[in-house]
Amino acid sequence: MATFPRGCSPAVRLCQKLNRLKTLDDDMMATSLKRCLSTLDLTLLGVGGMVGSGLYVLTGTVAKDMVGPAVIISFIFAGFASLLAAFCYAEFGARIPKTGSAYMFTYVSVGEIWAFLIGWNVILENMIGGAAVARAWSGYLDSIFNHSIQNFTETHIMQWNVPFLAHYPDLLAAGILIVASFFISFGVKVSSYLNHIFSVISMAVIIFILVFGFMLAEPANWSAKEGGFAPFGVSGILAGSATCFYAFVGFDVIASSSEEAKNPQKAVPIATAISLGLAAAAYILVSTVLTLMVPWHSLDPNSALADAFFRRGYSWAGIIVAIGSICAMNTVLLCNLFSLPRIVYAMADDGLFFSFFARVNPVTKVPVNAILVFGILMSTMALIFDLEALVQFLSIGTLLAYTFVAASVIVLRFQPDRISSKGTASTSPNPNSETSPAPTESQTIREDSGELKQYESFSDKLQLVERQVSSEKRGPGQLKAYWEPYLGKLLGDCEPGEVVAFCVLTLIVSSVSLCIVLEFGTNQLQLPIWSFSMLLVIFILAYVLSLTLIWLHEPQSKSKTFQVPLVPLTPAASILINVFLMMKLSYLTWIRFTVWIVVGLFVYFGYGIWHSKEGKRELQPEDMAARYVVLPSGSLVETVQPVQPEGQMNTSAHDFSSPTASTAEENAGKR
C-alpha cells in the first residue's frame, strides 16, 4: 500500500486507520483455546455443515421447480464453484491457523473496516442459517406427526398474523437451539463427539438411500414421456446451480476451527478437500436416485426423499430417511452454533466487538459468553420468524465473504515477505508492525547512485544490498525481470504489491459491472444491442487485463503449507462466480443487507475503531528508532536517533556502532 507523508490531512489519517492490517504473533500456534481436533474431527465438521436439510429438502425443490433430472448437472456446477472458494479458505486456514475464518483472512490482507463488515455479515448469516435449520427441523418432525405440534400451539398457546413473522411461535425450534447451545458450551470435544454421532447416522442413512434407491430406479422417469432429462433447458440448469451452490456453504466451519486443530497446516486442506468431495458426491448421487425413483414433476418439495419411498410402498424406509434427515439437520445446527461464537470471539479479541465476548472459560477453553448469548438470539429468531423470511436473507453475506477471501489470497500472495523480530517469516503484511515499518523518503534514493542510502530496517533492506549484486533476483510483488525493459518505466516506481492490490480492485469492479450487464442489461436496463455488446467487451477486457498485470509480478515462493493452484486465475474465477450469484438474489435481500451494513457501521465507529488493538499498538510510545546506513563501499553502519513528533524533521543522529559512523554523519549533513 502507498504511504503518505507525515502531517497528512485528518481524512487521510482516517483512511489509514480504516485500512490498517492485523499484526499476527510470531508463534502462530499460540492460542487461549484448546488444540484438540484431528483431521477426522474437522472432516466430519465439514460434512455436517454441508450435508443437512439441503440434501433432504433442496434436492426435491430444485428438481421439481427449476431443473428436472438435470439437477445432477446443477450440483456438479455448484460443487465446482464451491471448490474454488474452498481452495482459498484452505490456504488461509493452513497458513493462518486462527479462528475467525473470512474475518481473520480479510483483516491480515485487506484492511480493518472490511474485515469488520465481513465478520458482521458472517455473524448474521450464521444466526439466520441456524434459525432456518431449526425451523426446518421442527417442521419436518411436525409433518411426521401430521402437524399435531402446530395445531396444538395455535389452539392452546397463541398465534398471530403479522407480516414477516410466523403464524405461531415455534417453541420446538427455539428449544432445540437452547439445548444445543448448552451442550456446545461444555467444550470443543463434546461438540465434536455429538457431531460424530449425528454425522455417522446421517451418512449411514445416505448409503441406505443410495443402495435401496438404485434397486427401485426406473430409467423411464428420465424419458421424454415424463418431460425429458432437462425440461427447463440450459437456463434452468444455471438457475438451479445458483440455488444448489448454497448447499455447500458449510465448509467454512473447518477454517473457523483451525485455531483448535492439532496440526492445522495439514488437517485444514485435507479436511476441506475430503468433506467437499463427500458432500458433492452425496448430493449428486442422491439427486440421481430421487429422480429415477419417481417422476420429477410429482416430487414433494417439503420431504422429497421420504415421500418417494412412501409412494413406492416402503413406508418403513421413509421412516429411516426421516430419522436420517433429522440427524443431518442436527449436524448443521451444531456447526452453526460452533462457528458463530468463534467469529464473535475473534472480533472481540481484536477489540472490534464488545470485550464481554472475548472471555474464554478456563475449564472448557471455549468462548462461553458468545455461545450462550448468540444461542439465545438465534433461538429467538427461530421462535418468531417464518422459515421463508429467514431463507430470503440467507447467503448474501456468505457470498460476500467468499469474494473477499478470494481477493485476499491474491493480495497476500503478491505481498513482500515480512521478517519478524525473531527472524522467522511472518504472514502479516501489516505496515504498522514494528518489525516491518513503512518506507520513508530516505528509502527512495536510487541504488545506482554513489550517495548514502538510509533505511529503517536492517533485515528488510539488506535484501536490496544483495540485489545490487544480482539484479535478476526479484522479490514478491515486484515486476518480473523479463518484463522490466517493457513495463519498468510505467510500473517500476510502485511499491511491491501496490500494482497487484490496484489490479485486484479493478478485478472486483469489472466483475460486478460485467455481471450487472449480463443480468440486467437486456431486461431492466433495456440496453440496445450495440451498447450491451460494447459494455461486455470493455468489462471483459478490464477483467483480463487485471489478471495479466497480476501475473506479470513475482509471487511469494512456495510455502510449506497448502497453496491455491493457478493463482491468480483460480481466485479470480471464484470472485466472478460469487458476484454472479449475488446478482441472482432478490432486491429485498439487498435492502435488508444494506440495513444490516448500516447497523454494523454504527457499531464499528461507535465502539470498534476506538478499542481496536491495532489502533492501540499504533499509539504505543517509541523513544528511540534504529536506522541503518549503507555506505558507498557496501558496509553497513547502525545509528540510533530519537523519534520526533509528527511533522518535525529528524536532524540528528547518534552513532553507537562503528568508527566509520562519523563519515556517515558528515555525508548525511551535506544531504
Side-chain angles (χ1 to χ4, degrees):
M1 296 178 63
T3 58
F4 298 95
R6 294 182 177 181
C8 54
S9 65
V12 174
R13 287 199 297 270
L14 176 62
C15 184
Q16 288 177 316
K17 287 183 179 180
L18 298 180
N19 291 281
R20 56 195 170 200
L21 306 179
K22 180 176 175 59
T23 303
L24 296 175
D25 298 329
D26 293 333
D27 186 4
M28 298 289 270
M29 298 295 288
T31 177
S32 58
L33 304 178
K34 185 178 181 181
R35 291 196 178 273
C36 57
L37 296 179
S38 64
T39 304
L40 178 62
D41 297 329
L42 293 178
T43 302
L44 291 179
L45 276 174
V47 171
M50 287 182 280
V51 180
S53 56
L55 186 72
Y56 297 91
V57 179
L58 185 66
T59 49
T61 302
V62 175
K64 181 177 182 179
D65 299 334
M66 304 177 69
V67 188
V71 65
I72 301 167
I73 301 178
S74 294
F75 273 116
I76 293 174
F77 286 166
F80 175 75
S82 300
L83 181 64
L84 299 179
F87 274 147
C88 301
Y89 272 78
E91 173 171 333
F92 270 113
R95 190 174 181 181
I96 307 173
K98 297 292 183 181
T99 192
S101 190
Y103 156 78
M104 180 63 65
F105 307 155
T106 307
Y107 203 173
V108 300
S109 55
V110 179
E112 183 172 285
I113 189 171
W114 310 108
F116 176 86
L117 293 178
I118 291 298
W120 183 250
N121 279 285
V122 171
I123 288 174
L124 181 65
E125 291 301 314
N126 278 274
M127 290 177 61
I128 292 177
V133 172
R135 293 286 303 200
W137 186 96
S138 172
Y140 203 94
L141 189 65
D142 193 25
S143 64
I144 295 176
F145 294 101
N146 199 24
H147 301 287
S148 58
I149 300 175
Q150 176 181 349
N151 296 332
F152 178 84
T153 304
E154 292 180 344
T155 303
H156 296 90
I157 300 180
M158 66 180 300
Q159 61 176 320
W160 55 66
N161 293 313
V162 181
F164 303 108
L165 297 182
H167 297 297
Y168 68 98
D170 197 335
L171 299 175
L172 183 60
I176 188 63
L177 284 169
I178 294 293
V179 172
S181 301
F182 178 74
F183 277 107
I184 286 179
S185 64
F186 282 113
V188 63
K189 290 302 292 183
V190 175
S191 306
S192 179
Y193 182 71
L194 289 174
N195 183 71
H196 284 191
I197 295 175
F198 291 128
S199 294
V200 169
I201 296 175
S202 177
M203 287 189 290
V205 172
I206 291 173
I207 293 174
F208 167 78
I209 292 172
L210 296 179
V211 174
F212 196 39
F214 274 116
M215 293 172 60
L216 301 176
E218 295 181 359
N221 290 326
W222 285 6
S223 64
K225 180 182 178 181
E226 298 292 347
F229 180 74
F232 296 92
V234 177
S235 60
I237 293 175
L238 293 177
S241 299
T243 304
C244 294
F245 177 82
Y246 307 137
F248 298 98
V249 298
F251 65 80
D252 60 342
V253 68
I254 298 175
S256 299
S257 310
S258 59
E259 192 165 342
E260 292 160 286
K262 295 178 182 177
N263 186 5
Q265 285 77 16
K266 291 184 178 180
V268 170
I270 293 174
T272 301
I274 294 176
S275 61
L276 189 60
L278 290 175
Y283 277 108
I284 294 169
L285 293 175
V286 168
S287 299
T288 305
V289 166
L290 180 63
T291 53
L292 285 173
M293 283 179 61
V294 294
W296 61 269
H297 51 77
S298 64
L299 292 171
D300 181 4
N302 296 320
S303 55
L305 280 170
D307 182 70
F309 282 102
F310 276 114
R311 290 173 55 190
R312 294 298 300 269
Y314 297 94
S315 56
W316 58 272
I319 295 175
I320 294 176
V321 172
I323 293 174
S325 66
I326 291 176
C327 290
M329 292 182 194
N330 284 337
T331 61
V332 177
L333 276 180
L334 289 173
C335 290
N336 275 280
L337 286 169
F338 184 87
S339 59
L340 171 60
R342 282 152 178 82
I343 296 172
V344 174
Y345 160 77
M347 297 175 65
D349 190 53
D350 290 333
L352 302 186
F353 207 45
F354 305 112
S355 59
F356 171 78
F357 298 115
R359 299 174 187 171
V360 175
N361 187 283
V363 178
T364 60
K365 299 293 184 181
V366 294
V368 175
N369 293 343
I371 292 173
L372 296 180
V373 170
F374 281 89
I376 293 173
L377 290 175
M378 197 182 294
S379 65
T380 304
M381 294 180 67
L383 181 70
I384 63 176
F385 284 107
D386 185 70
L387 177 60
E388 184 178 354
L390 290 171
V391 172
Q392 284 180 355
F393 196 49
L394 196 61
S395 297
I396 186 169
T398 303
L399 290 170
L400 188 66
Y402 288 178
T403 302
F404 268 84
V405 170
S408 300
V409 165
I410 303 176
V411 172
L412 200 59
R413 183 70 67 87
F414 290 88
Q415 283 289 333
D417 292 319
R418 303 293 176 178
I419 307 300
S420 70
S421 58
K422 295 181 181 181
T424 57
S426 174
T427 309
S428 173
N430 190 353
N432 299 326
S433 173
E434 294 180 7
T435 61
S436 51
T440 61
E441 293 180 0
S442 61
Q443 294 173 319
T444 62
I445 304 173
R446 293 180 304 168
E447 295 181 26
D448 55 354
S449 66
E451 298 176 349
L452 296 178
K453 303 175 185 63
Q454 187 172 342
Y455 302 107
E456 290 187 352
S457 171
F458 174 80
S459 54
D460 286 347
K461 301 311 172 183
L462 183 58
Q463 300 174 14
L464 296 181
V465 178
E466 296 172 351
R467 203 174 298 133
Q468 292 175 345
V469 180
S470 177
S471 60
E472 294 297 321
K473 186 178 180 181
R474 292 282 175 170
Q478 292 184 314
L479 197 63
K480 291 181 179 178
Y482 178 82
W483 299 101
E484 181 68 29
Y486 308 100
L487 299 174
K489 292 183 179 180
L490 181 64
L491 306 176
D493 293 334
C494 298
E495 294 291 329
E498 188 175 357
V499 175
V500 173
F502 178 79
C503 289
V504 170
L505 178 61
T506 306
L507 197 70
I508 296 175
V509 173
S510 60
S511 298
V512 172
S513 304
L514 179 62
C515 292
I516 288 176
V517 172
L518 286 173
E519 185 67 21
F520 308 111
T522 55
N523 296 325
Q524 287 86 343
L525 299 179
Q526 296 182 348
L527 296 174
I529 296 297
W530 67 269
S531 177
F532 179 81
S533 303
M534 183 183 68
L535 289 176
L536 283 183
V537 171
I538 291 174
F539 295 135
I540 290 174
L541 286 177
Y543 184 88
V544 174
L545 181 61
S546 301
L547 272 178
T548 304
L549 285 176
I550 294 172
W551 178 77
L552 294 180
H553 288 75
E554 289 284 354
Q556 290 184 357
S557 57
K558 277 288 183 179
S559 173
K560 293 182 180 179
T561 59
F562 173 80
Q563 286 190 317
V564 179
L566 300 177
V567 172
L569 184 60
T570 300
S574 179
I575 290 173
L576 186 61
I577 292 173
N578 296 333
V579 171
F580 176 76
L581 294 176
M582 290 173 72
M583 296 301 162
K584 290 286 187 180
L585 301 175
S586 66
Y587 73 94
L588 287 176
T589 301
W590 282 97
I591 293 174
R592 297 187 184 105
F593 170 74
T594 304
V595 172
W596 182 250
I597 285 290
V598 171
V599 174
L601 290 175
F602 275 109
V603 173
Y604 175 74
F605 286 104
Y607 182 89
I609 195 172
W610 306 105
H611 296 82
S612 169
K613 288 187 176 180
E614 292 302 320
K616 293 179 179 179
R617 182 178 286 109
E618 291 177 355
L619 297 176
Q620 290 178 354
E622 299 179 10
D623 297 326
M624 305 296 290
R627 292 182 178 273
Y628 298 88
V629 178
V630 183
L631 299 177
S633 61
S635 59
L636 298 170
V637 178
E638 180 184 5
T639 64
V640 180
Q641 63 185 31
V643 175
Q644 301 295 332
E646 187 174 315
Q648 298 182 13
M649 296 294 295
N650 294 325
T651 58
S652 62
H654 306 283
D655 175 44
F656 291 93
S657 61
S658 171
T660 59
S662 58
T663 306
E665 289 188 16
E666 292 175 4
N667 291 334
K670 294 178 183 178
R671 295 176 53 214

